[in-house]
Amino acid sequence: MKPAVPGPCVLVVFGASGDLTRRKIIPALYDLFQRGQLPRRFAILGVSRSGMSDEAYRDHLAQWAGEMARQHSEAAWSQFARHIHYCAADATRVDAFSAVGAAIESAGARHECGSSILFYLSVAPQLYIPIIDNLAQSGLITEGKRWCSINRDETPWQRIIVEKPFGVDLESARSLNRALGRTFEEESIFRIDHYLGKELVQNLLVLRFANTIFEPLWNRRYIDHVQITAAETVGVESRGEFYDRAGAIRDMIQSHLLQVLALVAMEPPGRYADAPIRREKIKVTEAIRIATAEEAAGRCALGQYGRGPRDEAPYRGGKGVAPDSSTETFAAIRFDIDNWRWSGVPFFVRTGKAMARKLTEVVLTFRQPPIDLFSSLSEAHASCGNRPPNRLVINIQPDEGISLRFEGKVPGEMRIESVKLDFDYAARFGGEAIEAYGPLILDAMRGDQTLFKHRDEVEGAWRAVAPFLDPALRRGIAGNYAPGTWGPPESEHLLANSGCTWHNPGIEETR
Ligand code: BG6
């Protein structure tokens, strides 16, 4: 069992003055502190190049904490901020690490938090490998000794959190994994994916394995197809420069959505613990059929938003975007999972910017009954083939909840209509949604890898999307969908080819 409350440690954030640190990481830690979830003895050490005192760094963060944290008061902030320190160093230079090491030691001594260290790479991805290599040479990593010690839990640990993007393709992901593996044990590497911190994503395991009613139906015998959608109404905003090199497949499908797919498709783990859960997810990733170059075109629909009907700016020509860019801002892909449970059941995964509404959901559409008992009813009572199939919708955000659609008899006449059982997360459990970063950082401090990606999952996901990264598939996609829609017509065709249609709920419809 992993400890419920983490032990003392120093959190070292590389990229201390970056956007992610001030908007997400520090406000999340501040929230945890206010809820009493951080260890009593802890320190945060920010590392980046600009020269700054501890005080100046705390002031810099205070403005953001006020805006981004769930709760804020001067008193709480000043108590929390005492734990924050700063070290000016260029972490891409190995000679900077004597200063970093000294700052870690001094923060650790000041807050009596011993010498366990959680490193957080919140820097530009091209800096990951240089920093990891420098850590290796710095003498700060003594993980190897833990393996030989009699009581590993009493020996200080060093762990590392690595942000996405985790590589830009299979080759770069492998070389990052190799760099990490040269320095850290796999059990000390925490590849973060904020989707795994979302309540309804975690609830997928509970829904499937804490109940008996779903699992017997959760297979090729009863499920016709699965849809996983992550739609956003915003465009790429100020992130054009990053996004234009990434695109929707790298940004969302390889990372977040294949994780959701793995949780939907995995076999039950032997027990609720990180290693068995990750093993089952890896097996799913390995069972995804890899499309050949010829097959890829028929299994995906790519798009890029153009100018909108109300003169919304197109993707091309946006800040940081090449004027002739062929980067996809929309992608829909059909994945097939070649195993006993899922053979023949398509998994349609789609994501896009500038779409009709913000929505992340999983939809399982069930097969029609084997015979149509009600076919003798008159025309108006639609025969089985025309009746809506049973459908389970799991809304991950923003209307968190689950609904099950089935057929019911209308009172007073022999007529059939669809009805819904609906579970609304907020109505039942109330409270504000928790920002995903806080609990994930806490898990890394506790050494719990359940909600982090294993090396093999990351590489498997790159293998699965690789055929769809071919530039030839992007020719002529510019402006093929208007902002505020559900993507290009090809996306509908992709499903129509398998006799399916996307679940595109109206603006008022929650699930
Ligand atoms: C990030 C992507 O990982 O996830 C962004 O880089 C995307 O492009 C974001 O907007 C979506 O996250 P969420 O939590 O809003 O669904």
Side-chain angles (χ1 to χ4, degrees):
M1 274 295 269
K2 305 286 192 291
V5 179
C9 66
V10 183
L11 172 67
V12 179
V13 185
F14 293 106
S17 51
D19 214 39
L20 181 70
T21 307
R22 59 191 177 208
R23 277 177 181 278
K24 298 278 186 190
I25 301 173
I26 297 293
L29 289 162
Y30 177 37
D31 280 334
L32 292 175
F33 176 78
Q34 294 188 76
R35 287 204 295 271
Q37 291 179 310
L38 283 183
R40 216 169 39 76
R41 291 179 288 142
F42 79 97
I44 299 169
L45 178 71
V47 180
S48 63
R49 277 180 308 186
S50 346
M52 244 188 290
S53 65
D54 285 0
E55 266 322 309
Y57 184 52
R58 291 170 190 160
D59 288 347
H60 164 78
L61 296 175
Q63 306 157 18
W64 291 91
E67 199 179 312
M68 306 300 293
R70 307 268 150 172
Q71 291 175 33
H72 177 59
S73 71
E74 291 298 325
W77 173 258
S78 75
Q79 271 186 15
F80 171 70
R82 261 185 246 142
H83 295 262
I84 303 178
H85 300 273
Y86 183 79
C87 171
D90 178 353
T92 60
R93 295 174 51 122
V94 71
D95 53 10
F97 273 75
S98 49
V100 175
I104 295 174
E105 206 178 305
S106 130
R110 166 114 41 115
H111 299 278
E112 297 176 357
C113 45
S115 42
S116 289
I117 314 170
L118 176 59
F119 296 102
Y120 198 131
L121 290 185
S122 168
V123 291
Q126 63 273 20
L127 305 184
Y128 291 174
I129 293 182
I131 295 179
I132 295 163
D133 287 346
N134 289 342
L135 276 173
Q137 290 183 48
S138 69
L140 288 168
I141 314 300
T142 54
E143 271 291 294
K145 291 195 189 133
R146 273 185 86 229
W147 276 93
C148 331
S149 58
I150 292 169
N151 189 350
R152 279 169 57 197
D153 292 336
E154 284 184 1
T155 315
W157 47 257
Q158 298 88 40
R159 302 184 184 130
I160 187 162
I161 299 182
V162 188
E163 266 296 333
K164 87 176 250 279
F166 200 95
V168 295
D169 55 16
L170 179 59
E171 214 23 71
S172 52
R174 272 191 184 141
S175 79
L176 181 49
N177 276 331
R178 276 197 299 271
L180 284 163
R182 282 195 294 271
T183 309
F184 293 92
E185 301 294 337
E186 182 61 30
E187 65 164 33
S188 307
I189 303 169
F190 291 75
R191 298 173 189 82
I192 201 164
D193 183 323
H194 80 280
Y195 261 59
L196 293 178
K198 292 186 189 287
E199 286 293 340
L200 265 279
V201 172
Q202 293 174 39
N203 194 49
L204 282 168
L205 290 186
V206 178
L207 177 78
R208 293 189 55 196
F209 305 131
N211 296 298
T212 49
I213 57 173
F214 298 110
E215 205 45 28
L217 309 180
W218 210 266
N219 56 52
R220 64 190 302 276
R221 215 166 148 205
Y222 295 101
I223 293 181
D224 181 77
H225 71 280
V226 179
Q227 300 180 13
I228 300 173
T229 292
E232 294 179 275
T233 48
V234 290
V236 294
E237 320 279 274
S238 57
R239 296 169 70 230
E241 208 175 312
F242 154 77
Y243 196 90
D244 208 35
R245 279 180 278 119
I249 294 180
R250 289 189 173 91
D251 188 41
M252 292 292 292
I253 296 186
Q254 185 279 337
S255 47
H256 308 314
L257 299 189
L258 285 181
Q259 280 294 311
V260 176
L261 179 146
L263 291 169
V264 172
M266 68 189 257
E267 294 300 318
R271 64 198 159 89
Y272 187 75
D274 46 11
I277 291 175
R278 298 204 314 173
R279 266 198 296 274
E280 294 306 332
K281 283 165 65 204
I282 292 169
K283 285 193 213 158
V284 173
T285 323
E286 286 172 352
I288 296 178
R289 189 185 308 159
I290 308 298
T292 62
E294 296 72 45
E295 287 164 345
R299 294 206 194 150
C300 75
L302 305 182
Q304 188 191 79
Y305 60 88
R307 185 169 295 284
R310 283 182 296 280
D311 211 30
E312 296 96 328
Y315 175 71
R316 279 187 173 183
K319 192 165 165 265
V321 175
D324 58 349
S325 167
S326 53
T327 298
E328 80 287 357
T329 59
F330 173 95
I333 300 181
R334 173 189 168 138
F335 291 105
D336 288 84
I337 301 174
D338 288 330
N339 63 19
W340 276 57
R341 187 188 282 260
W342 295 117
S343 177
V345 180
F347 280 68
F348 297 105
V349 176
R350 77 176 159 169
T351 185
K353 301 276 185 196
M355 291 185 66
R357 58 177 283 188
K358 174 147 178 86
L359 173 75
T360 304
E361 65 172 18
V362 177
V363 180
L364 293 101
T365 302
F366 291 85
R367 291 191 189 285
Q368 293 285 6
I371 55 155
D372 187 1
L373 198 64
F374 302 99
S375 58
S376 58
L377 300 182
S378 73
E379 269 301 281
H381 307 142
S383 73
C384 176
N386 298 327
R387 241 177 260 136
N390 297 153
R391 188 176 69 192
L392 185 71
V393 177
I394 301 160
N395 187 311
I396 292 169
Q397 61 186 21
D399 302 304
E400 293 148 317
I402 299 173
S403 82
L404 179 64
R405 179 179 73 185
F406 55 93
E407 298 301 275
K409 180 189 165 304
V410 175
E413 51 184 320
M414 193 52 214
R415 200 156 63 83
I416 296 174
E417 253 185 43
S418 298
V419 292
K420 259 187 201 173
L421 274 180
D422 194 55
F423 155 55
D424 184 286
Y425 224 67
R428 170 63 181 83
F429 293 114
E432 252 182 308
I434 294 170
E435 166 61 63
Y437 272 89
L440 290 176
I441 297 173
L442 216 50
D443 281 353
M445 288 180 172
R446 293 164 53 237
D448 183 343
Q449 292 187 306
T450 310
L451 302 175
F452 294 85
K453 300 192 271 201
H454 187 275
R455 175 183 58 219
D456 295 346
E457 293 179 75
V458 174
E459 294 186 11
W462 277 119
R463 230 173 268 119
V465 301
F468 306 102
L469 297 175
D470 182 349
L473 298 172
R474 285 155 180 73
R475 273 188 216 120
I477 63 165
N480 68 354
Y481 74 99
T485 65
W486 287 101
E490 290 78 6
S491 162
E492 296 299 332
H493 304 161
L494 178 73
L495 266 72
N497 291 342
S498 308
C500 314
T501 48
W502 285 111
H503 179 233
N504 291 340
I507 214 76
E508 298 297 326
E509 201 184 339
T510 47
R511 290 171 283 278

